[in-house]
């Protein structure tokens, strides 16, 4: 799910960027904010950070005593993407394993669809391994699959999510 | 209610002998809490009867005809389900997780905004000090693929009419994103809607017809 978020953050502008006035300061704040937004990558609550859309408010700067840097409290809006349990999404298969397949969905790289969660499909080993059901529907590399999210897990160290998904239900499966 | 309690109360001889562990009592007290808003008087009596009801139920066997009527019976089994073990049904509950400063967006809405940013990107990317999040491109790609409509505003307007049938924002966005052909597909993919099926079915059908008209 894409989310529209509004966040209060603090942006620190180094002393050397403060010499020019007005517009230049505004620009420095925006650049610094975008930099921090990009560096953060994702959070557990909001998912993957995609873009800053607007800078809504810039508060009064406070000078930091030791460095002379100035810290500005800002409020900005942005767009994020997060997977939710029960959500219906589409993913692209990037690896076929014996017991299931790995998919990508937007910024999420590690989505696992276990063979237990696609009971009609049989694993067909070979040079290009794939999963096949009795209606000749194939799940192989680069196929787009519509699935339901069963669970997600936030990995703090990598700042990313993993997800488990299922095809158990009507209207789920490979998309032509 | 008092009457039901009374009915239950006549049962003790049957259920009384079965060993009551701590759980029936707990159930009874939980139940009691639930009831506290409705009536205070005579609750004690109900407590007992319910506890007994529960234990005799777990004992099985006798007089099944009276049990389904017993209120305690219902409360006990419900309590059991919510307290432990039984996994939550696989349903969308975005609203419970969503921080209050965040709002769901339909993929087509996200695509519009992200494409707008991408258009400005050519000028932005000339400035090496501006960093673009690594997820931007993949997010944009996904949003574009999930945007099935020619007119985002009319999709939002049309789907928002469903909020008066207590369809949640998260459900609305999933409907827009999967772009179901008919109500059956919508109910199959978003089982949380099934609880409101009787009231939502017709308006949802109208909305899906609207969506089909602005489909790419």
């Amino acid at each position: 799910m894409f989310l529209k978020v509004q966040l209060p953050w603090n942006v620190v502008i180094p002393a050397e960027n403060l010499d020019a006035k007005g517009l230049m300061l505004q620009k420095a704040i925006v650049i610094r904010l975008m930099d921090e937004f990009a560096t953060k990558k994702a959070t557990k609550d909001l998912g993957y950070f995609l873009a800053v859309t607007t800078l809504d408010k810039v508060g009064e700067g406070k000078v930091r005593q030791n460095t002379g840097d100035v810290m500005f409290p800002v409020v900005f809006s942005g767009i994020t993407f997060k997977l939710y349990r029960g959500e219906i999404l589409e993913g692209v298969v990037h690896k076929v394993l014996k017991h299931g397949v790995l998919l990508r969905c937007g910024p999420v790289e590690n989505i696992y669809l276990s063979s237990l969660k696609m009971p009609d499909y049989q694993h067909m080993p070979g040079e290009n391994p794939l999963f096949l059901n009795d209606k000749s529907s194939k799940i192989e590399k680069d196929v787009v699959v519509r699935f339901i999210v069963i669970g997600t897990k936030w990995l703090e160290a990598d700042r990313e999510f993993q997800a488990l998904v299922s095809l158990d239900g009507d209207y789920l499966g490979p998309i032509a | 209610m008092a009457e039901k309690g009374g009915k239950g109360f006549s049962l003790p001889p049957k259920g009384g002998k079965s060993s009551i562990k701590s759980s029936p009592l707990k159930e009874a007290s939980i139940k009691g809490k639930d009831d506290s808003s409705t009536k205070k008087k005579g609750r004690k009596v109900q407590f007992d009867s319910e506890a007994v009801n529960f234990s005799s139920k777990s004992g099985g066997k006798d007089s099944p005809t009276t049990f389904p009527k017993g209120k305690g019976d219902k409360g006990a089994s419900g309590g059991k389900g919510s307290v432990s073990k039984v996994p939550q049904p696989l349903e969308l509950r975005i609203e419970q997780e969503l921080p209050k400063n965040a709002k769901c967006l339909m993929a087509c809405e996200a695509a519009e905004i992200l494409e707008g940013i991408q258009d400005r990107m050519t000028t932005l990317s000339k400035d090496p000090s501006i960093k673009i999040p690594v997820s931007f491109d993949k997010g944009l790609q996904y949003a574009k693929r999930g945007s099935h409509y020619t007119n985002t505003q009319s999709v939002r307007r049309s789907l928002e009419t469903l909020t008066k049938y207590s369809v949640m924002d998260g459900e609305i966005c999933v409907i827009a994103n999967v772009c179901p052909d008919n109500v059956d597909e919508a109910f199959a993919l978003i089982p949380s809607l099934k609880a409101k099926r009787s009231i939502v079915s017709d308006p949802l059908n109208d909305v899906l017809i609207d969506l089909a008209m602005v489909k790419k």
Side-chain angles (χ1 to χ4, degrees), chain A residues 132-144:
Chain A
L132 189 71
N133 76 356
D134 50 9
K135 288 173 199 129
S136 301
S137 154
K138 280 183 199 168
I139 296 178
E140 57 188 333
K141 199 169 181 293
D142 297 326
V143 162
V144 179

Side-chain angles (χ1 to χ4, degrees), chain A residues 70-83:
Chain A
V70 181
M71 189 187 78
F72 291 91
V74 304
V75 178
F76 70 97
S77 300
I79 294 191
T80 67
F81 180 82
K82 190 181 172 191
L83 301 183

Side-chain angles (χ1 to χ4, degrees), chain B residues 60-129:
Chain B
K61 291 176 215 153
D62 30 27
S63 63
T65 44
T66 53
F67 283 123
K69 276 189 205 160
K71 219 162 178 227
D73 176 37
K74 205 169 142 202
S77 58
K80 216 178 191 177
S82 64
V83 169
S84 63
K85 288 185 256 185
V86 185
Q88 287 201 324
L90 184 51
E91 281 183 4
L92 206 59
R93 284 198 177 80
I94 294 181
E95 276 73 18
Q96 287 175 15
E97 278 186 59
L98 205 62
K100 63 176 187 301
N101 53 356
K103 208 175 143 275
C104 292
L105 277 181
M106 306 186 296
C108 52
E109 291 173 320
E112 259 186 15
I113 300 169
L114 293 174
E115 276 174 334
I117 293 172
Q118 193 191 32
D119 291 343
R120 277 173 278 155
M121 204 73 102
T122 37
T123 44
L124 287 177
S125 57
K126 280 181 198 143
D127 189 339
S129 58

Side-chain angles (χ1 to χ4, degrees), chain A residues 1-7 27 31 34-35 37-39 41 45-46 48-53 79 81-82 84-90 92 105-107 109 144 146 148-150 170-172, chain B residues 88-94 97-99 101-107 110 113-114 117 124 127 129-136 138-139 142-143 145 170 173-174 177-178 182 184-185 188-189:
Chain A
M1 179 72 69
F2 289 94
L3 303 177
K4 184 188 178 125
V5 299
Q6 194 180 49
L7 297 172
K27 190 183 169 196
I31 288 175
M34 287 179 77
D35 187 76
F37 186 85
T39 308
K41 193 179 162 192
D45 286 345
L46 301 172
Y48 292 83
F49 287 13
L50 303 186
V52 175
T53 50
I79 294 191
F81 180 82
K82 190 181 172 191
Y84 285 92
R85 181 178 153 86
E87 195 180 351
I88 307 290
L89 292 163
E90 291 172 11
V92 182
C105 169
E109 297 280 336
V144 179
R146 183 198 259 182
I148 184 162
V149 178
I150 310 172
D170 292 338
Y171 302 97
L172 299 175
Chain B
Q88 287 201 324
L90 184 51
E91 281 183 4
L92 206 59
R93 284 198 177 80
I94 294 181
E97 278 186 59
L98 205 62
N101 53 356
K103 208 175 143 275
C104 292
L105 277 181
M106 306 186 296
I113 300 169
L114 293 174
I117 293 172
L124 287 177
D127 189 339
S129 58
I130 292 179
K131 251 205 221 165
I132 306 301
V134 281
S135 307
F136 178 84
K138 288 174 193 154
Y142 190 79
R145 228 205 15 236
C173 290
V174 175
N177 296 351
V178 299
N182 50 53
D184 288 338
E185 185 175 357
L189 292 175

Side-chain angles (χ1 to χ4, degrees), chain B residues 166-179:
Chain B
S166 63
V167 176
M168 307 302 279
D169 203 33
E171 293 167 337
I172 283 179
C173 290
V174 175
I175 295 171
N177 296 351
V178 299
C179 193

